[in-house]
Amino acid sequence: PQALSMFNGDFVNRQAAHLATRLRKEAGEDRGRQIDLAYRLALARPPTPSERDAMLSFLERESLEQLGRVLFNLNEFVY
């Protein structure tokens, strides 16, 4: 239940929306720049090449808000 709450909870969804707004504002519409900034803000590091490729594919079918939810639910972010 805790994992589902983290992934679907109102707080995480609001924070993901805030992150998406900031990414659009600071990185523009360039998906690569958005991903790089998201990783830097959430994990304090750049994405690996494979992470970047996976997130580029992810953003072809999902929103920046969803990207934020994914990052906020990574073990690396939580711990």
Side-chain angles (χ1 to χ4, degrees):
Q2 184 177 7
L4 290 176
S5 178
M6 273 291 290
F7 194 70
N8 294 316
D10 290 336
F11 178 76
V12 172
N13 289 330
R14 281 193 313 274
Q15 298 312 307
H18 290 304
L19 178 63
T21 299
R22 182 172 178 183
L23 295 176
R24 286 185 195 99
K25 181 179 178 184
E26 295 182 19
E29 293 303 316
D30 182 299
R31 294 294 195 193
R33 289 181 63 208
Q34 290 171 340
I35 292 165
D36 292 344
L37 181 57
Y39 269 75
R40 188 170 55 83
L41 293 171
L43 305 176
R45 67 170 179 83
T48 66
S50 62
E51 288 171 333
R52 195 170 196 272
D53 291 343
M55 287 302 168
L56 283 169
S57 294
F58 180 79
L59 286 176
E60 288 178 8
R61 57 188 186 282
E62 298 292 343
S63 68
L64 279 176
E65 288 82 1
Q66 294 292 74
L67 172 70
R69 287 176 62 200
V70 168
L71 290 175
F72 295 156
N73 281 278
L74 291 173
N75 281 343
E76 185 176 351
F77 178 81
V78 174
Y79 298 101

